[in-house]
């Protein structure tokens, strides 16, 4: 029996919702997207959400709203997916990479603060596996560091670098009573096909409701930047007699069509149960595997994750990771690896980053794998995966 890593959980009601939009006469950005934005805002406890076509676009638009560009620095962890750092290169700013804390998947707040310079405009933190980074404590620690606002009113008001949470994994996570979306100053979500909630491709940008800006003006700016810099969206422009428009800046094209938003509206309706099911699967994995391996902790004092990735540190079997992945594959179980640290990738090596400067990220990467985690897994599947992992490692010659 084959157990996939993260197939999309698309149900009849999702298909019906998409078909309804296809039949409606309006298929790109419009009322269904607005509905999804409102539903997401309510679920995440924030006021404003702008739907986009990816998390990458959301991260990039956050930097663009802050007018981050050449000469500026943005801090990012070495242990993440390329998108978290690529957006810094897209806007022409300098990438400043920080290592993770020893035996952790995220950097220590002290290390991040130590990397801040007068040129730091923003810090991107990552909610790895759905575990919410403590962005509120980071924001607090940054108070008083100051920032060269370069005339940007938001940076001027904050007087510190802006904290942008890469929440690609963390829709629904919670820390100290605050849902993902309200932890970083800005948060970017992903609805890519392998994510907890999917629109096939998609993302959203949101920000803290008490960010010192005109909230609805910021929404209008992000919307405009995501649609060519155009003063009118396609739906209003199509109304009879309403063709006239202006382009205020040479903007992006990153809006989400209603066909995809329909999937989101439908999936969000059952999302709380999906997160609960993921947490139940994680508890079972922890029960079965926690004695043999260091299983990523998804619930703890003051936080609960969205249960996106089941990372497992293979402990004494770390040097045999590739054999273990192959052994799982032979038993029909698809495992994965999150993440190859950025300095191991050609693009970042070419930018001058060296793996040796990020020893903790390298150590984590070498011994980690991710197990299947999704809402199509049965309890038996979970037991099968755990048993397969234990039997694969037991069949290996001792490495002690
Ligand atoms: C940590 C992280 N950030 C950003 C992204 C990019 O998301 P998207 O594909 O929606 O742009 C991903 C996608 O896998 C991710 O894992």
């Amino acid at each position: 029996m084959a157990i996939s890593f993260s197939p999309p959980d698309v149900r009849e009601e999702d298909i019906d919702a998409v078909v309804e939009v296809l039949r409606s006469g309006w298929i790109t950005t419009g009322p269904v997207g607005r509905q999804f934005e409102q539903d997401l805002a309510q679920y995440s406890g924030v006021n404003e959400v702008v739907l986009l076509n990816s998390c990458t676009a959301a991260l990039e638009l956050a930097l663009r709203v802050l007018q981050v560009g050449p000469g500026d620095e943005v801090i990012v962890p070495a242990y993440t997916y390329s998108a978290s750092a690529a957006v810094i290169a897209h806007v022409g700013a300098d990438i400043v990479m920080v290592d993770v804390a020893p035996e952790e998947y995220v950097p220590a707040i002290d290390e991040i603060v130590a990397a801040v310079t007068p040129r730091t405009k923003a810090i991107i933190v990552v909610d790895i596996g759905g575990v919410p980074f403590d962005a509120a404590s980071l924001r607090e620690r940054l108070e008083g560091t100051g920032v060269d606002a370069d005339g940007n009113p938001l940076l001027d008001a904050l007087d510190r670098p802006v904290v942008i949470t890469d929440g690609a994994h963390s829709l629904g996570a919670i820390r100290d009573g605050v849902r993902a979306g309200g932890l970083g100053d800005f948060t970017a979500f992903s609805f890519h096909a392998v994510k907890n909630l999917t629109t096939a491709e998609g993302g959203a940008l949101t920000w803290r409701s008490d960010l010192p800006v005109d909230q609805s003006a910021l929404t209008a700016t992000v919307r405009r930047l995501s649609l060519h810099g155009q003063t009118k969206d396609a739906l209003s422009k199509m109304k009879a007699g309403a063709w006239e428009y202006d382009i205020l800046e040479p903007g992006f094209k990153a809006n989400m069509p209603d066909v995809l938003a329909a999937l989101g509206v439908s999936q969000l309706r059952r999302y709380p149960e999906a997160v609960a099911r993921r947490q139940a699967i994680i508890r079972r994995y922890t029960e079965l595997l926690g004695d043999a391996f260091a299983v990523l902790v998804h619930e703890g004092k003051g936080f609960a994750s969205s249960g996106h990735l089941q990372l497992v540190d293979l402990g004494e079997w770390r040097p045999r990771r590739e054999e273990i992945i192959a052994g799982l594959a032979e038993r029909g179980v698809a495992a994965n690896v999150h993440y190859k640290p950025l300095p191991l990738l050609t693009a970042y090596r070419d930018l001058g980053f060296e793996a040796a400067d990020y020893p903790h990220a390298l150590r984590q990467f070498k011994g980690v794998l991710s197990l299947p985690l999704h809402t199509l897994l049965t309890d038996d599947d979970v037991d099968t995966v755990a048993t397969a992992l234990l039997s694969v490692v037991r069949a290996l010659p001792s490495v002690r």
Side-chain angles (χ1 to χ4, degrees), residues 54-56 80-81 83-84 126 166 168-169 190 192 195 201-202 339:
S54 69
C55 174
T56 309
T80 183
Y81 183 61
S84 324
V126 185
D166 178 339
H169 303 174
S190 175
H192 175 264
K195 298 302 189 289
E201 296 284 351
Y339 282 101

Side-chain angles (χ1 to χ4, degrees), residues 150-395:
D150 285 336
N152 185 283
L154 177 54
L155 282 169
D156 195 34
L158 289 176
D159 196 28
R160 59 163 172 80
V162 168
V163 176
I164 301 172
T165 297
D166 178 339
H169 303 174
S170 61
L171 180 73
I174 192 159
R175 184 176 281 279
D176 299 326
V178 180
R179 274 263 155 94
L183 290 165
D185 293 311
F186 288 81
T187 298
F189 291 123
S190 175
F191 309 125
H192 175 264
V194 301
K195 298 302 189 289
N196 286 15
L197 182 151
T198 185
T199 58
E201 296 284 351
L205 183 64
T206 184
W207 48 88
R208 291 193 291 126
S209 301
D210 53 355
L211 206 58
V213 280
D214 178 335
Q215 296 273 330
S216 51
L218 181 54
T219 302
T221 303
V222 177
R223 280 200 208 297
R224 196 182 67 236
L225 286 171
S226 75
L227 197 77
H228 308 293
Q230 192 168 288
T231 47
K232 257 181 206 166
D233 66 24
L235 188 58
S236 354
K237 201 162 150 277
M238 289 296 285
K239 298 233 163 81
W243 73 271
E244 176 68 285
Y245 64 95
D246 192 12
I247 297 283
L248 299 191
E249 62 273 286
F252 240 46
K253 183 66 165 66
N255 53 310
M256 180 189 284
D258 274 11
V259 175
L260 300 187
L263 253 179
V265 171
S266 180
Q267 297 219 341
L268 190 58
R269 283 195 196 113
R270 56 174 193 273
Y271 192 64
E273 297 95 87
V275 172
R277 173 66 187 149
R278 286 173 169 273
Q279 291 291 7
I281 293 171
I282 289 167
R283 281 194 284 273
R284 182 71 180 150
Y285 274 143
T286 308
E287 208 177 297
L288 296 170
L289 299 171
D291 288 342
F293 312 104
V295 174
L296 178 65
V297 176
H298 281 264
E299 284 172 301
K301 197 166 168 283
F303 78 92
S305 88
S306 63
H308 180 56
L309 291 175
Q310 184 59 76
L311 302 189
V312 175
D313 180 328
L314 294 169
E316 65 179 287
W317 291 285
R318 300 169 59 83
R320 316 300 277 273
R321 198 231 349 242
E322 296 316 310
E323 289 161 79
I324 293 170
I325 291 175
L328 286 171
E330 272 167 29
R331 288 162 172 78
V333 174
N336 211 326
V337 175
H338 298 87
Y339 282 101
K340 199 165 172 181
L342 302 179
L344 288 180
L345 304 171
T346 305
Y348 298 96
R349 268 206 311 269
D350 288 353
L351 286 172
F353 295 99
E354 287 181 27
D357 294 332
Y358 305 90
H360 302 302
L362 212 58
R363 184 220 174 256
Q364 290 301 80
F365 158 67
K366 282 186 174 158
V368 77
L369 59 73
S370 308
L371 295 175
L373 177 53
H374 52 84
T375 46
L376 297 177
L377 288 174
T378 64
D379 290 350
D380 283 349
D381 291 337
V382 178
D383 289 7
T384 302
V385 172
T387 308
L389 178 57
L390 290 169
S391 79
V392 168
V393 297
R394 281 178 192 143

Side-chain angles (χ1 to χ4, degrees), residues 13-99:
E13 70 243 33
D14 302 333
I15 294 168
D16 291 346
V18 172
V19 169
E20 196 180 321
V21 172
L22 287 171
R23 292 212 164 102
S24 72
W26 186 260
I27 59 175
T28 189
T29 305
V32 182
R34 289 293 156 93
Q35 181 65 52
F36 188 27
E37 288 174 344
Q38 282 168 20
D39 295 350
L40 279 168
Q42 194 184 21
Y43 175 71
S44 304
V46 292
N47 287 340
E48 306 283 327
V49 172
V50 179
L51 277 183
L52 295 162
N53 62 5
S54 69
C55 174
T56 309
L59 290 168
E60 179 158 340
L61 286 180
L63 293 178
R64 289 191 185 274
V65 162
L66 296 165
Q67 293 157 340
V68 176
D72 298 329
E73 289 176 356
V74 179
I75 297 173
V76 68
Y79 203 90
T80 183
Y81 183 61
S82 171
S84 324
V87 294
I88 305 169
H90 294 176
V91 300
D94 293 335
I95 299 170
V96 176
M97 247 181 237
V98 289
D99 200 0

